[in-house]
Amino acid sequence: RDRLRSRGLGDVYKRQNLLFSLKGRLNRQGFWIGVGFNFIILFFIANFSQNLTAFQPLFFLPLFICGYSLLTIGVKRLHDRGRSGKNALILSVPFICLITARYLPQQSTEYWLIGLLMPMLIFTLITIEWGFFKGESQANLYGEKGLSLSLK
C-alpha cells in the first residue's frame, strides 16, 4: 500500500514537474501531449464560461497557468534539441508584430505582412521545429534523453 501511495504522489510530482518546471528535456511525444492537454483546458474555459473577459481573475488565472505551462513545454523541447531556453524569446516576435500592425492602415500591404503573414510564418516554423524535429539522442547539458509526458 505505501509503495502504491508513494508511487502515485511521485507520478503527480513528475507530471507537475513536466508541465511547470523549466529544467530537463521533453521529447516530441511529450511535447504534443502537453500542448494538447493545455489546449483542451483552454477550449473548455473559452466555450463553457459565460461573460468572461481575459482581464477577470476567474479567466486570467487559468489563462496564465496554461500560458506558463506551454512556455515550459517549449523550453524543455528546446533543451531536448540542445538549445538554450533563451531561444524561446523568439515567441515574442509574433506578438510584437501583432502590436505593431495595430498602428498600420488595415488595407495596406504592411498590415498584411506584419500583422498576419509574419506571426503565422514564425508560429508555423516554431511548431515544425519543436513538434517534428527529433531531439538529441545522447545526454546533453540539459539532462539525459528527453522524457515523455504520460497521462496514465
Side-chain angles (χ1 to χ4, degrees), residues 49-138:
S49 57
Q50 297 179 356
N51 301 325
L52 289 178
T53 65
F55 301 108
Q56 291 179 335
L58 185 62
F59 187 69
F60 180 74
L61 184 63
L63 186 65
F64 176 77
I65 291 170
C66 285
Y68 180 75
S69 176
L70 287 168
L71 179 67
T72 59
I73 289 169
V75 167
K76 287 182 179 200
R77 189 67 189 118
L78 284 168
H79 289 172
D80 193 44
R81 304 249 318 124
R83 298 190 175 155
S84 170
K86 293 176 186 175
N87 288 328
L89 289 173
I90 192 73
L91 290 171
S92 64
V93 174
F95 295 108
I96 293 170
C97 289
L98 290 170
I99 291 168
T100 303
R102 292 189 70 196
Y103 299 102
L104 297 171
Q106 288 192 353
Q107 302 301 324
S108 68
T109 304
E110 293 85 8
Y111 176 81
W112 185 82
L113 288 173
I114 294 174
L116 300 173
L117 183 66
M118 287 299 291
M120 285 191 304
L121 178 67
I122 292 169
F123 276 130
T124 301
L125 292 174
I126 288 171
T127 302
I128 289 171
E129 181 180 348
W130 292 1
F132 297 105
F133 290 171
K134 191 174 182 178
E136 294 181 350
S137 57
Q138 68 277 7

Side-chain angles (χ1 to χ4, degrees), residues 20-44:
F20 297 109
S21 171
L22 293 170
K23 296 181 181 180
R25 295 170 58 178
L26 194 61
N27 64 15
R28 290 177 288 184
Q29 179 185 14
F31 171 79
W32 286 115
I33 291 171
V35 168
F37 178 75
N38 279 291
F39 278 105
I40 288 170
I41 291 172
L42 290 172
F43 174 80
F44 280 111

Side-chain angles (χ1 to χ4, degrees), residues 6 137 147:
S6 66
S137 57
L147 299 173

